Amino acid sequence: MTHRILAETTASISELKRNPMGTVAAGAGLPVAVLNRNEPAFYCVPAEAYEALMERLDDLELNAVADARLSDGRAPIKVSLDEL
């Protein structure tokens, strides 16, 4: 069975156990796919990348709320940042 691996760097669980910080560093700031019997078991994501991902998800959520409010048929109200 084939599995899609969504990272450029991979490591085995044994490698992760032997040197956790080295495994994270091998990704050079990007996620590392951790494999169990040559199948992706999970992704090891550095804190900075995870924080950026959470910020992006939050932005997408806020945009969806704004789009829903714009599509309700009412005219938008313009305000300046100073008014907020």
Side-chain angles (χ1 to χ4, degrees):
M1 178 180 272
T2 60
H3 298 278
R4 188 172 173 201
I5 297 176
L6 303 173
E8 292 183 19
T9 307
T10 62
S12 69
I13 289 182
S14 299
E15 291 171 316
L16 179 67
K17 287 180 185 178
R18 186 172 41 253
N19 185 0
M21 294 310 294
T23 301
V24 173
L30 298 173
V32 175
V34 180
L35 308 178
N36 183 27
R37 297 189 176 118
N38 290 326
E39 295 180 7
F42 60 92
Y43 291 88
C44 181
V45 182
E48 189 173 299
Y50 185 78
E51 290 166 4
L53 177 65
M54 292 291 100
E55 284 290 324
R56 180 71 175 131
L57 287 174
D58 191 39
D59 289 347
L60 289 172
E61 210 172 284
L62 290 173
N63 283 338
V65 169
D67 290 342
R69 289 180 181 172
L70 282 173
S71 67
D72 68 1
R74 294 187 290 177
I77 300 170
K78 293 190 177 200
V79 295
S80 70
L81 288 176
D82 293 331
E83 293 174 308
L84 296 176

